[in-house]
Amino acid sequence: MYKTKLNKYSAVELDSMEQKLQISLSLIRGVRNLLQPVNKLPPELLTLIFHQTQQHLPDFLPLPEPSPSSWHWLTLLQVCRQWRGLIASSPQLWSELDSGTLPERFLRRSSTVPLKVYLSLKLHDLSEDILESIASQSRRFRELHLDADSWQSSITTSSTIFHQFKFPAPTLASLTLLTDGRDIVNGTLPHMFSGEMPRLKKLCLKHLTSWPSGYFQGLTHVCLYDQNESTRPTMDEFLDFLVNSPFLEELALVRAGPTRIDVGAESHSSPPRIVSLLHLRQLDIGEWPSAPLVARFLSHIHLTTNTDMYFWGEHMLNTAHPDSEIAGSLALLLPEDISRLENMKHIRKWYLARQPRVILDTPFVSVTRTMKGEGRTLYMYGTFSASQLLPTQLLSRYPVLEVECLAVRDSCMDTTNANNLDVGFWREILQGLPNLQKLEILAFRSIGFTRAIIGALMPQSNTVEPQSSLLCSRLTSLTIEHDVSLPAFFIRTIAEARARCIPPAARLENLRVLVFEPNPQIVRRRRRLRSLSPSEAESSTGNNSESDGSEDPGLENEAQTKEEEEYRMHTEDDRRLLEECVEILGDVQFQYGVPLSVGLVPDAWPTIAYDFTRRRRGAA
């Protein structure tokens, strides 16, 4: 019966009915989709949400991810018809164009909005046709980031990828040009954009050392790296470049800059030429041939208190200079006259850390603002030898008289002789810090190092000395990393000797010991013991019945291991010994679970310039 009724319809009629049914189902799905809460948002707001799903790189030194995951936002096109139509008709969503991800579609759908163009910087896939299409839109360029050597030319050798950009770029604000020297003669950049880049403010160049006259003036951000060594600028040539950008805010010179010495260009009898960089916020100098070249450059510039400086590099900081009186010293980084380096004034904190290369493989020195903007902080980090840290030289170049906090870290040394940083060394250093109030000794498993620094605080005679002659007479806070090698009795002896030389009001107010946790699983138990008195703690450890019922029995068993017992006994003995002289040591605190050696590097380290130039070299 049912089959009979269907047979009365022809094939054409059935096709028509099926088509109407599909249209009806589509309309129903569309209406249901419109009823979803997210689709009740105004299209403008939904577009802004889509924009936030995209990966947006900084306009200066963009660091792309190694995978194409940044383009996963394109899957939004598959959600529904409404989203697909909204995305396709929103030019701003297509304004970041990458040569390896649908460049033609992005170019078409971006309409007339300004473009951010990445050519072979993220993905290496660039054809000549699409390059020509992109280059023809240079009037819309807001940013151009180009890895020139990734482009495979199929036309005559007289033409390069640089020559493709022949039209003006009136709105271009940021330009990145990377090359290892292919198609480049004598490090000179070929003509681009007819020389018309009136709004260019941010520039990054690899290998290139010179460019046509009139290019690159009024810049605010500059990064030059891996420059051709034979054609690097002289000091005068580079200072001319800086003069043309008086509002420079960031300057990074990595294996680049005025490292070529022109003997006839500078006269030692005349005053040095000085260029003021009054707006510079950050200066990065990396991997120059030697530290004296850095000092030579610094002697020609004037910096304000707002400039943070970062110097790094193996040869620059670790190479010995036998012809110098201060061979290999970190003092070589600074010129003798630092009066024009206003950012070196008011150093209140000094962090000196010697770490093995497995932790951080690049030595660096930096001077930065503190978190609260009060004074400056000096950082020295690397596998420095004793000859590089000669106290007389460091104290003569680095203005540390106002230092109130000194933190020292050593984890790459021979603990038997403190790697030549003995008591005499630290006595010389501390003599140059008359305003020191806080001392942090972060030397886990380096008892020789800890003893050397603490020993330097011992009064020079057994008789009562006037406070003015006592080393670091303003010292009120001492922090020490602790393991089983904590020299607690030695600390107490030094404190008692100093107490005889100064009035009670000037003695230590706080002794803070950071206790190393041999096993993270016993943190909870150790904290519980810390809350008890010593007698209660001993009773609790020897009686499992008094344990907190919420603790896992496995932790109780772990607490009985030989390592745990050793640490517990030493820690409790040390704490009791030090707490007995509270009138001398003040408040004694043993702190558990505190990360060791926190704050030894600036918050901004490694800098963006360090990361960018290292990654673009293919370093691990």
Side-chain angles (χ1 to χ4, degrees):
M1 182 75 176
Y2 181 70
K3 184 182 296 185
T4 304
K5 290 184 177 180
L6 290 179
N7 288 339
K8 68 179 183 179
Y9 298 105
S10 65
V12 175
E13 290 175 319
L14 289 175
D15 289 341
S16 177
M17 292 169 61
E18 183 179 9
Q19 184 178 9
K20 292 177 181 179
L21 180 60
Q22 291 176 348
I23 294 175
S24 299
L25 290 174
S26 179
L27 290 174
I28 292 174
R29 293 192 188 100
V31 172
R32 180 175 294 172
N33 185 59
L34 290 174
L35 294 177
Q36 297 297 319
V38 67
N39 287 327
K40 293 181 180 180
L41 295 174
E44 297 81 6
L45 181 57
L46 199 54
T47 301
L48 290 177
I49 295 175
F50 294 155
H51 188 262
Q52 293 302 313
T53 66
Q54 298 176 324
Q55 180 192 52
H56 302 289
L57 301 178
D59 57 355
F60 182 59
L61 304 183
L63 273 174
E65 295 295 331
S67 68
S69 59
S70 58
W71 300 106
H72 284 173
W73 72 273
L74 289 171
T75 58
L76 296 175
L77 290 165
Q78 304 171 12
V79 173
C80 65
R81 183 187 304 170
Q82 182 181 356
W83 283 22
R84 183 162 56 250
L86 182 59
I87 293 173
S89 60
S90 301
Q92 61 271 30
L93 296 178
W94 304 88
S95 62
E96 299 189 14
L97 188 152
D98 187 285
S99 57
T101 307
L102 307 174
E104 294 171 310
R105 184 183 301 181
F106 274 73
L107 197 61
R108 182 176 65 255
R109 290 185 174 177
S110 61
S111 184
T112 60
V113 299
L115 292 174
K116 295 182 181 180
V117 181
Y118 302 88
L119 299 183
S120 296
L121 194 66
K122 293 181 181 179
L123 299 175
H124 292 210
D125 182 14
L126 186 63
S127 68
E128 184 178 327
D129 291 340
I130 187 58
L131 172 63
E132 184 177 352
S133 299
I134 294 172
S136 67
Q137 298 296 316
S138 61
R139 291 188 177 276
R140 291 202 284 143
F141 286 0
R142 183 170 59 187
E143 299 177 25
L144 173 62
H145 307 285
L146 166 65
D147 187 343
D149 291 351
S150 296
W151 179 61
Q152 303 298 325
S153 175
S154 60
I155 56 179
T156 60
T157 56
S158 61
S159 178
T160 69
I161 190 171
F162 300 101
H163 291 106
Q164 302 298 317
F165 299 94
K166 52 191 174 182
F167 302 111
T171 62
L172 184 66
S174 179
L175 177 62
T176 301
L177 300 177
L178 309 181
T179 176
D180 290 323
R182 198 187 76 179
D183 302 327
I184 299 297
V185 179
N186 295 326
T188 302
L189 173 68
H191 282 273
M192 294 182 68
F193 303 118
S194 298
E196 296 185 29
M197 296 169 280
R199 296 188 182 181
L200 187 64
K201 297 298 181 183
K202 302 182 179 183
L203 176 69
C204 174
L205 300 178
K206 179 183 179 184
H207 181 80
L208 303 163
T209 55
S210 60
W211 35 85
S213 176
Y215 279 33
F216 311 144
Q217 299 187 17
L219 300 173
T220 60
H221 296 67
V222 172
C223 175
L224 306 175
Y225 77 103
D226 285 355
Q227 284 188 326
N228 182 5
E229 292 187 20
S230 63
T231 61
R232 289 181 186 176
T234 63
M235 185 61 66
D236 271 341
E237 291 171 343
F238 192 75
L239 293 179
D240 288 340
F241 170 67
L242 294 181
V243 167
N244 289 325
S245 297
F247 297 102
L248 200 61
E249 298 177 14
E250 293 188 22
L251 176 61
L253 305 172
V254 183
R255 300 174 294 275
T259 63
R260 183 165 61 93
I261 298 179
D262 187 346
V263 179
E266 297 186 13
S267 173
H268 295 285
S269 60
S270 60
R273 179 185 176 188
I274 305 299
V275 173
S276 295
L277 301 177
L278 304 180
H279 300 272
L280 194 67
R281 292 183 286 104
Q282 182 166 318
L283 173 63
D284 287 78
I285 296 181
E287 301 182 22
W288 279 25
S290 66
L293 287 177
V294 179
R296 175 173 170 264
F297 171 63
L298 294 177
S299 69
H300 288 277
I301 60 176
H302 169 216
L303 300 176
T304 71
T305 57
N306 295 321
T307 307
D308 291 342
M309 299 191 301
Y310 299 87
F311 311 110
W312 74 85
E314 179 66 31
H315 295 288
M316 188 170 74
L317 296 181
N318 279 347
T319 302
H321 302 274
D323 297 333
S324 171
E325 296 180 357
I326 49 177
S329 171
L330 296 185
L332 285 168
L333 277 174
L334 298 179
E336 294 184 7
D337 181 9
I338 62 171
S339 60
R340 287 179 291 271
L341 301 179
E342 297 180 20
N343 59 336
M344 292 296 297
K345 298 178 181 178
H346 309 303
I347 294 177
R348 302 290 173 80
K349 296 182 180 180
W350 182 7
Y351 292 89
L352 174 57
R354 299 199 300 171
Q355 299 279 69
R357 299 189 182 206
V358 295
I359 298 178
L360 188 63
D361 61 358
T362 303
F364 73 90
V365 174
S366 70
V367 180
T368 68
R369 287 162 288 185
T370 59
M371 291 292 292
K372 297 181 180 179
E374 300 174 356
R376 313 285 292 175
T377 302
L378 170 63
Y379 296 89
M380 296 177 176
Y381 193 111
T383 54
F384 305 125
S385 64
S387 63
Q388 293 179 276
L389 302 172
L390 298 176
T392 54
Q393 303 300 342
L394 287 182
L395 298 176
S396 67
R397 294 289 180 95
Y398 292 88
V400 293
L401 286 174
E402 298 181 33
V403 167
E404 299 172 351
C405 174
L406 172 65
V408 291
R409 176 76 164 110
D410 202 319
S411 60
C412 58
M413 53 173 291
D414 180 353
T415 58
T416 59
N417 62 7
N419 202 9
N420 298 323
L421 303 188
D422 55 12
V423 174
F425 170 88
W426 289 109
R427 184 171 289 121
E428 286 189 70
I429 290 291
L430 295 177
Q431 283 175 348
L433 308 176
N435 293 297
L436 189 66
Q437 300 175 20
K438 183 177 181 180
L439 176 60
E440 299 179 1
I441 305 173
L442 310 174
F444 172 66
R445 291 178 178 169
S446 300
I447 187 173
F449 184 72
T450 302
R451 283 183 174 273
I453 303 174
I454 296 294
L457 294 170
M458 174 69 84
Q460 292 298 290
S461 64
N462 294 325
T463 59
V464 176
E465 298 182 9
Q467 183 178 352
S468 59
S469 62
L470 184 68
L471 198 62
C472 301
S473 60
R474 298 185 180 183
L475 184 65
T476 59
S477 176
L478 177 62
T479 298
I480 301 177
E481 283 183 354
H482 163 58
D483 60 1
V484 293
S485 64
L486 177 70
F489 184 78
F490 189 61
I491 295 171
R492 177 172 172 169
T493 302
I494 300 297
E496 290 174 341
R498 289 175 61 85
R500 292 192 291 266
C501 303
I502 55 180
R507 296 174 185 173
L508 278 178
E509 298 176 357
N510 177 269
L511 170 61
R512 180 168 169 255
V513 179
L514 307 181
V515 182
F516 170 70
E517 296 288 354
N519 191 329
Q521 293 181 341
I522 60 173
V523 171
R524 285 194 300 164
R525 175 176 175 81
R526 193 182 289 273
R527 287 177 178 172
R528 179 174 176 271
L529 291 176
R530 186 175 74 249
S531 65
L532 305 176
S533 66
S535 59
E536 291 174 328
E538 291 182 7
S539 174
S540 175
T541 352
N543 189 352
N544 288 340
S545 63
E546 295 181 10
S547 300
D548 187 348
S550 63
E551 291 188 355
D552 184 74
L555 297 181
E556 292 294 330
N557 296 331
E558 185 69 28
Q560 302 305 317
T561 62
K562 181 178 179 180
E563 184 181 32
E564 162 58 11
E565 286 298 316
E566 179 182 351
Y567 270 79
R568 185 187 64 80
M569 289 187 295
H570 279 283
T571 298
E572 293 303 321
D573 289 344
D574 291 338
R575 184 173 70 173
R576 281 194 293 268
L577 178 65
L578 296 172
E579 285 180 343
E580 288 173 358
C581 54
V582 63
E583 295 181 357
I584 298 174
L585 292 173
D587 182 24
V588 177
Q589 302 176 16
F590 274 53
Q591 297 186 356
Y592 300 76
V594 178
L596 304 183
S597 307
V598 173
L600 291 180
V601 300
D603 291 336
W605 181 261
T607 65
I608 295 176
Y610 174 91
D611 278 340
F612 184 86
T613 57
R614 195 167 189 249
R615 185 179 300 189
R616 298 311 299 180
R617 294 185 88 192

